[in-house]
Amino acid sequence: MGENQSWVTEIILMGFQLSAEKEVLLFWVFSLLYICSLLANGIILGLIWLDSRLHTPMYFFLSHLAIIDISYSSSNLSHMLKNLVQHKKMISFVSCIIQMTLCLTVASTECMILVVMSYDRYVAICHPLQYTIIMSWRRCTVLAVISWVCGFFVVLIQLILFLRLPFCGPQEVNNYFCEILSVLKLACADTYVNETFLFAGGVFVLVGPLSLMLVSYLSILWTILKSQSNEGRKKAFSTCSSHLCVVGLYFGIAIVIYLVPDNNQRQEQQKILNLFYSLFNPLLNPLIYSLRNAQVKRAFYRVWRQNRAM
């Protein structure tokens, strides 16, 4: 490396090139969506904690999903909102690495949790008489721990490979947060190994889980079609269609970002997709999975009446 190259200590997050007035407007819009996301996921966590009738495997995994959504949106949006209101787009390289690691960890873990949730629905609909035996609390805990451990170790490999690279500029990252593909462009060395392992990790946490979920939901669909109860069919279809909407959005966007070959023309599209991930996905999860659920609504009214009685 030439002596005129300097090591990167701070990074400029380019984000969206807008005027100061538009940045302030975006700050208020994104802040509202962020607050709604925190409230929705916080309500789910509170209800599951306070109402004993929601102490079931399904809501146990939903609580993990709510924690993941809060963590993911907070790690991305908090710094972006600060930059919008201060019109400053700098972040230290160490903070950038921490943000990147946290985002990748919770995103990978969410893929695993969604697989476990599809397995839970498969057991509930296809083997209802054995549900309490198969989905024991011990098994649920093991599945949750495995999901977090898998997400952590996939990212740990990426982090080790990332830290071995020299970063000497330029300082500009064409994104609104420290997304690994964008930050890798700052490396002044060959990143082929990093990109290869990132692709392999994407296959592991995206294609593998998606295939397992499709198998689960096809089995569920077959069981529903054989069912004689119209009410049971309607309820099962409603539940599974909601889950499939979330799965389709989440995995579809992630596959486009991490598994489709990159080129300069797609950078702006990727920024929008990443923004959708951070803003809307954490808000859609509680709305689709929980808040439109009759059992959750009843739990909300019970907790509301108990608080008013006090």
Side-chain angles (χ1 to χ4, degrees):
M1 282 182 243
E3 295 181 359
N4 61 338
Q5 291 177 318
S6 59
W7 295 97
V8 172
T9 57
E10 287 189 320
I11 290 174
I12 301 172
L13 298 173
M14 300 300 292
F16 299 97
Q17 303 302 305
L18 301 170
S19 63
E21 293 78 10
K22 290 182 179 178
E23 285 188 342
V24 171
L25 176 61
L26 285 180
F27 167 79
W28 289 110
V29 173
F30 293 166
S31 295
L32 179 62
L33 291 171
Y34 177 48
I35 292 170
C36 289
S37 174
L38 292 181
L39 285 175
N41 286 288
I43 288 171
I44 296 303
L45 284 174
L47 289 177
I48 293 172
W49 176 265
L50 294 171
D51 196 314
S52 59
R53 299 184 192 184
L54 297 184
H55 294 174
T56 63
M58 175 183 174
Y59 293 102
F60 171 71
F61 295 125
L62 277 174
S63 67
H64 283 267
L65 190 63
I67 292 170
I68 288 170
D69 286 336
I70 290 172
S71 302
Y72 189 80
S73 59
S74 297
S75 61
N76 287 349
L77 295 178
S78 56
H79 193 84
M80 183 188 72
L81 292 174
K82 184 180 76 172
N83 287 349
L84 285 173
V85 74
Q86 294 180 352
H87 311 297
K88 181 183 177 183
K89 301 178 180 179
M90 300 293 294
I91 183 173
S92 69
F93 190 65
V94 173
S95 298
C96 185
I97 293 174
I98 293 171
Q99 184 187 66
M100 182 184 69
T101 303
L102 180 59
C103 291
L104 284 174
T105 301
V106 294
S108 300
T109 304
E110 181 164 358
C111 295
M112 303 300 176
I113 290 292
L114 289 172
V115 174
V116 174
M117 290 174 66
S118 70
Y119 174 68
D120 174 72
R121 292 300 85 205
Y122 162 76
V123 176
I125 294 173
C126 299
H127 303 282
L129 299 179
Q130 298 175 296
Y131 180 75
T132 54
I133 298 173
I134 297 174
M135 299 303 294
S136 63
W137 279 113
R138 180 180 179 181
R139 179 166 294 184
C140 290
T141 304
V142 170
L143 289 172
V145 170
I146 289 174
S147 298
W148 283 96
V149 169
C150 285
F152 174 76
F153 274 104
V154 168
V155 176
L156 182 62
I157 295 171
Q158 303 296 338
L159 183 61
I160 292 171
L161 292 173
F162 181 86
L163 292 176
R164 82 186 228 292
L165 292 171
F167 291 87
C168 48
Q171 291 180 279
E172 295 179 351
V173 169
N174 189 19
N175 216 318
Y176 68 91
F177 78 109
C178 290
E179 192 270 330
I180 187 168
L181 287 173
S182 302
V183 180
L184 277 176
K185 297 182 187 300
L186 304 185
C188 47
D190 186 12
T191 59
Y192 175 77
V193 174
N194 299 72
E195 292 170 2
T196 301
F197 273 86
L198 190 62
F199 182 84
V203 171
F204 177 74
V205 300
L206 293 172
V207 177
L210 182 60
S211 300
L212 292 174
M213 280 186 282
L214 290 176
V215 171
S216 295
Y217 283 114
L218 284 173
S219 301
I220 290 170
L221 180 62
W222 178 249
T223 302
I224 292 171
L225 293 175
K226 292 192 299 182
S227 174
Q228 301 296 322
S229 169
N230 289 331
E231 184 179 349
R233 285 185 184 182
K234 184 178 179 181
K235 183 178 179 181
F237 266 123
S238 175
T239 301
C240 293
S241 61
S242 299
H243 292 194
L244 282 172
C245 285
V246 174
V247 167
L249 285 172
Y250 187 86
F251 282 86
I253 294 173
I255 287 172
V256 169
I257 293 174
Y258 291 104
L259 299 185
V260 175
D262 188 24
N263 60 65
N264 293 329
Q265 296 177 348
R266 291 181 55 244
Q267 288 185 1
E268 294 301 317
Q269 297 174 358
Q270 288 183 341
K271 280 196 289 186
I272 295 173
L273 291 176
N274 279 316
L275 187 62
F276 181 90
Y277 239 48
S278 301
L279 280 173
F280 296 104
N281 195 66
L283 184 59
L284 286 175
N285 280 342
L287 291 176
I288 291 177
Y289 275 106
S290 304
L291 297 181
R292 64 187 294 273
N293 187 302
Q295 193 173 0
V296 173
K297 291 178 182 177
R298 288 194 294 268
F300 180 80
Y301 293 136
R302 284 194 296 269
V303 172
W304 176 264
R305 286 198 299 268
Q306 288 174 4
N307 289 336
R308 289 190 64 183
M310 296 172 61

